[in-house]
Amino acid sequence: MNPNFSHPPITKTRTICGYCGVGCSLDLLVRDNRIIGVQPAMDGPANEGALCVKGQFAYDYVHHPERLTHPLVRGADGQLHQATWDEALDRAAAGFTQVAAKHGRHAVYGVASGRTPTEADYLMQKFIRVGFGSHYIDNCSRA
Amino acid sequence: MSNPLSDMEKPDVIFCIGTNMTEAHPVAATRLKKAIARGAKLIVADPRRIRLAEMADIYLPIRVGSDVALLLGMAHVIARDGLYDLDFMSARTEGFEEFLDHVGQFTPTWAAGITGVPAADIERAAILYGSAKPGAIFYTLGITEHICGVENVQSLCNLALMTGNLGKVGGGINPMRGQNNIQGAGDSGAIPNNYVGFQPVTNPAIQAKFEKAYGRPLDAEKGITKVTALDRCGESIFAMLIDGENTVVSDPDQQHCVHALKSLEHLVVIDIFLTETGELADVVLPAAAWAEVDGHFTNTERRIQRVRKAVEPPGEAQPDWWIISEIAKRMGMKGFDYSSAVPVFNELCELSPIYAGIDWELAESGQYQWPIPYKGHPGTPRLHETEFTNGRGKFSFTHYRDPAEVIDDAYPVWLTTGRRLESYHTRTQTGRSQGIDYLLAEETLEVHPEDVHAWGLVDGGWAEMSSRRGTVKIRVEATRRSPRGTVFASFAFPEVPINQLTGSGYDPITETAELKVCPVRVVAV
Ligand code: SF4
């Protein structure tokens, strides 16, 4: 029996590596809301227990101090300033509405990501199609 | 990929072209190594003597941008020696007689003149692949990032069609997808020509289906690609929403790209770090990262896999689906009242014929590879087993053409670009991982030792490299991975913005940038 109760328990979450298209399965080891390690999944259909150096070690960016933690909005001084979600979202929305009103609905363009989950990509294209009736949407596969 | 990853262990002959698989897709490369250990033969075509080339039975060091010539030369030999699969061609393809005629003109000697590879090696490679039962082709961006990217892929399809290596265990044509979910981005309709599930926007019945689903009229014409949109910034494009992409560093011709984004009236960037692109934005919205959201990635073998939230996002960061929906709702759009990622995914599945057989619950197991046309369908690990999507397989009558820019007196050296194992794209992620900085601290320019000497450079010293678009300073590394007259660098480091040099041309059909070929001048500093 471990008498040391000061350590919170380690939880294990099955997910997919976020680095390349092989899509290796892995388990994230988490304690205190921090990833402390990665275990390859032996039953991962793409990797069967293998992981490369990126999948195995390159996860600490998630907890990097430079992560964006609040919205930023460009002020009259030309600098980006911290803003509330309400301010930032209203500003984002108003900008698209204004540009479409001034230059037409084909003046707005969307660029989705090849790294975010499919749900994010789906909503990016839906945003453009529902918002502007155009197909002015692409992702980064061309670069 | 036409075939599942597990098939990688099964071919008799493996033909890798334009793929640095041991660096870009290491775990997949492990499977190829198993096939080789089992006795499979390996053909590698690549301008650089990459690690895979060291493992090859036949290594074809082609000049950058000469792939079509090599593949036509190989098709010529397969036709000439009767190594084709007549039964397959008769049953599954059309126009094969004309194709066999077409390749008659492209002799190995002709191909040798363009590629710089000895004709005898082209013959050996063709005979080895042509005799394989089965033979598998693997490629990545070394094939597509050219002005002739479409012809490159078509030329590979020709080889697989004429030898009957499609729809077979251990065969196929297998592009290895780079980014983790680039497949999912295409699947979900985030492209200018297709709705979700590759349903063409120009098809009136499909247009009607989505007008109903999305509750508004929709254009009957395709949209424009990102490349075109960047060209039109400040002229006809005035606002952009960019999700999680460091456009400024990853795109070719960086100066042009910064200028384009600066000329917008409104730029909104969603990302996990304040990237070079975010610095130009009017609004930057903090996203939850990998490990902080639930959703799906689709991998290179079309397998739909669940990603799970393991930790809380920092500060006020939110999932992308929430951020995009909030902007939409504030603009008065209907249909964005999502409570989580679950209904988003289920809506996507309902609208997509290739995901129709699954939903959030069913996808949980990770066992499905699309197409999954209806509930109860097991998914499709291997494409084209009994028929092609559009009926019979069609040969393409490809021709070789020169890259957009070729070397001359002013820019006498070929620069080719690529990825390195330890870094990922523009290093927004890996650049902030401690262990990774240690493994790969700075970018270098790989130069053949004899060129280092001939050009007055010093191994470990600095060089200035210029193209028609810009100049960068970079450290020199003498290595025989580079052939004489060709140098290599990756675009992983913002401090060495290689993409200020590239961007000489685009494939006219896909508008993929020719990142793999760029004439440069290299001088010591
Ligand atoms: S562990 Fe390596 S090979 Fe596997 S998905 Fe991640 S980056 Fe790709």
Side-chain angles (χ1 to χ4, degrees):
Chain A
M1 287 276 275
N2 183 354
N4 186 355
F5 296 134
S6 63
H7 276 306
I10 294 174
T11 60
K12 218 192 234 194
T13 305
R14 171 64 54 91
T15 194
I16 304 298
C17 174
Y19 277 108
C20 92
V22 174
C24 296
S25 300
L26 51 83
D27 288 326
L28 290 172
L29 305 181
V30 172
R31 184 164 62 201
D32 240 357
N33 201 39
R34 285 189 81 83
I35 305 169
I36 56 167
V38 161
Q39 277 177 354
M42 302 315 286
D43 55 348
N47 57 314
E48 294 170 359
L51 284 181
C52 78
V53 56
K54 283 180 285 189
Q56 185 70 64
F57 298 111
Y59 55 81
D60 46 346
Y61 76 90
V62 171
H63 302 305
H64 196 280
E66 285 171 22
R67 278 290 300 278
L68 283 170
T69 53
H70 45 73
L72 301 171
V73 167
R74 195 165 300 279
D77 60 356
Q79 303 298 311
L80 287 169
H81 296 282
Q82 179 166 346
T84 65
W85 270 109
D86 264 336
E87 287 163 354
L89 290 166
D90 282 343
R91 171 86 175 267
F96 291 119
T97 305
Q98 279 159 17
V99 164
K102 187 167 152 203
H103 301 285
R105 60 190 175 87
H106 290 107
V108 180
Y109 200 84
V111 182
S113 169
R115 291 174 237 171
T116 54
T118 306
E119 288 80 356
D121 299 320
Y122 175 77
L123 287 188
M124 279 294 293
Q125 66 85 36
K126 186 173 178 184
F127 174 80
I128 292 295
R129 291 189 163 115
V130 171
F132 309 97
S134 77
H135 309 293
Y136 276 34
I137 176 77
D138 207 348
N139 65 72
C140 36
S141 73
R142 289 176 177 81
Chain B
M1 292 175 73
S2 64
N3 289 53
L5 284 162
S6 57
D7 266 16
M8 291 183 80
E9 297 170 21
K10 298 169 188 162
D12 282 345
V13 173
I14 301 153
F15 179 22
C16 291
I17 180 163
T19 171
N20 192 357
M21 201 190 297
T22 53
E23 300 228 3
H25 300 96
V27 170
T30 308
R31 292 194 187 257
L32 281 196
K33 288 178 193 161
K34 281 192 200 161
I36 292 165
R38 210 204 63 229
K41 297 279 184 260
L42 176 65
I43 305 166
V44 173
D46 200 289
R48 302 171 59 225
R49 206 176 176 87
I50 50 177
R51 225 176 303 172
L52 210 56
E54 303 288 345
M55 296 156 47
D57 295 279
I58 301 177
Y59 170 47
L60 307 167
I62 56 172
R63 192 210 76 211
V64 291
S66 67
D67 309 71
V68 170
L70 169 72
L71 300 171
L72 283 170
M74 288 176 66
H76 172 98
V77 175
I78 291 170
R80 184 197 67 198
D81 293 1
L83 297 171
Y84 44 77
D85 182 337
L86 196 58
D87 291 344
F88 183 88
M89 286 199 297
S90 313
R92 303 276 309 270
T93 74
E94 61 188 38
F96 68 88
E97 290 99 345
E98 292 91 328
F99 177 73
L100 297 182
D101 277 351
H102 172 71
V103 296
Q105 55 191 307
F106 305 114
T107 63
T109 312
W110 167 85
I114 292 170
T115 59
V117 174
D121 288 347
I122 298 174
E123 298 236 3
R124 282 170 57 220
I127 292 168
L128 189 58
Y129 175 75
S131 321
K133 296 266 176 289
I137 295 172
F138 297 92
Y139 69 89
T140 45
L141 301 174
I143 278 292
T144 48
E145 284 179 354
H146 288 283
I147 55 161
C148 53
V150 167
E151 285 107 316
N152 282 348
V153 173
Q154 288 172 338
S155 304
L156 288 170
C157 290
N158 287 342
L159 286 185
L161 279 175
M162 70 193 298
T163 53
N165 272 311
L166 282 172
K168 297 209 170 108
V169 175
I173 306 180
N174 301 289
M176 308 291 298
R177 307 312 295 258
Q179 294 173 333
N180 53 300
N181 198 33
I182 201 75
Q183 183 72 55
D187 294 358
S188 68
I191 33 179
N193 51 339
N194 290 331
Y195 293 104
V196 59
F198 303 99
Q199 301 174 84
V201 299
T202 49
N203 177 323
I206 287 169
Q207 180 192 4
K209 165 179 166 179
F210 281 90
E211 289 187 335
K212 186 154 173 268
Y214 289 166
R216 68 156 294 151
L218 292 162
D219 285 353
E221 312 83 46
K222 288 179 199 172
I224 56 176
T225 66
K226 189 184 77 173
V227 169
T228 305
L230 283 171
D231 274 344
R232 296 191 191 161
C233 282
E235 289 163 25
S236 62
I237 299 291
F238 292 95
M240 274 199 191
L241 176 59
I242 300 181
D243 186 13
E245 183 192 24
N246 197 1
T247 305
V248 169
V249 179
S250 66
D251 266 39
D253 202 350
Q254 189 173 103
Q255 313 265 326
H256 168 69
C257 184
V258 171
H259 177 80
L261 295 180
K262 277 187 174 162
S263 65
L264 293 171
E265 290 174 14
H266 188 55
L267 173 62
V268 178
V269 170
I270 304 171
D271 214 324
I272 61 172
F273 290 110
L274 185 56
T275 61
E276 289 82 351
T277 310
E279 304 265 11
L280 302 173
D282 297 290
V283 181
V284 182
L285 301 169
W290 173 81
E292 297 167 353
V293 284
D294 286 302
H296 296 84
F297 292 161
T298 303
N299 80 351
T300 191
E301 56 175 349
R302 298 167 280 103
R303 184 186 297 280
I304 299 143
Q305 304 197 98
R306 213 11 237 293
V307 288
R308 291 181 184 84
K309 177 175 174 172
V311 290
E312 290 299 325
E316 299 172 17
Q318 292 280 356
D320 307 72
W321 66 261
W322 182 88
I323 299 173
I324 301 159
S325 300
E326 282 300 313
I327 303 173
K329 282 193 275 190
R330 278 160 211 255
M331 292 175 64
M333 293 186 213
K334 297 271 181 291
F336 285 87
D337 292 311
Y338 300 106
S339 53
S340 72
V342 180
V344 181
F345 185 73
N346 288 340
E347 175 180 319
L348 177 163
C349 294
E350 273 167 35
L351 288 169
S352 168
I354 58 174
Y355 282 52
I358 55 166
D359 56 25
W360 185 277
E361 299 269 302
L362 287 166
E364 192 74 30
S365 66
Q367 74 182 70
Y368 289 101
Q369 289 169 265
W370 67 250
I372 317 134
Y374 50 85
K375 293 251 160 74
H377 188 283
T380 312
R382 210 167 283 109
L383 295 178
H384 320 303
E385 281 193 294
T386 51
E387 60 181 10
F388 297 109
T389 329
N390 306 315
R392 288 181 167 254
K394 287 191 184 55
F395 287 97
S396 308
F397 297 82
T398 52
H399 285 275
Y400 167 77
R401 46 196 173 102
D402 279 335
E405 284 176 14
V406 294
I407 51 172
D408 55 18
D409 289 346
Y411 301 98
V413 175
W414 296 107
L415 164 69
T416 185
T417 67
R419 281 157 184 76
R420 295 185 192 278
L421 172 58
E422 293 83 3
S423 72
Y424 180 71
H425 223 58
T426 71
R427 294 175 74 248
T428 308
Q429 292 158 22
T430 50
R432 292 176 171 93
S433 248
Q434 282 176 2
I436 298 293
D437 269 346
Y438 179 71
L439 288 170
L440 177 73
E442 72 174 354
E443 186 51 58
T444 58
L445 184 68
E446 298 187 8
V447 186
H448 191 282
E450 285 166 34
D451 282 340
V452 169
H453 181 74
W455 302 342
L457 305 173
V458 179
D459 187 11
W462 290 89
E464 222 172 60
M465 175 163 64
S466 318
S467 77
R468 288 179 175 82
R469 282 156 299 279
T471 299
V472 298
K473 206 174 148 203
I474 187 167
R475 201 179 280 284
V476 174
E477 181 193 350
T479 167
R480 288 182 190 276
R481 265 192 307 278
S482 286
R484 298 244 14 212
T486 300
V487 297
F488 170 84
S490 88
F491 55 83
F493 292 80
E495 310 86 69
V496 185
I498 293 299
N499 283 338
Q500 288 191 358
L501 309 187
T502 55
S504 52
Y506 294 91
D507 185 297
I509 300 168
T510 64
E511 296 190 23
T512 300
E514 183 152 73
L515 293 176
K516 292 292 169 189
V517 188
C518 177
V520 293
R521 181 173 63 237
V522 182
V523 293
V525 286

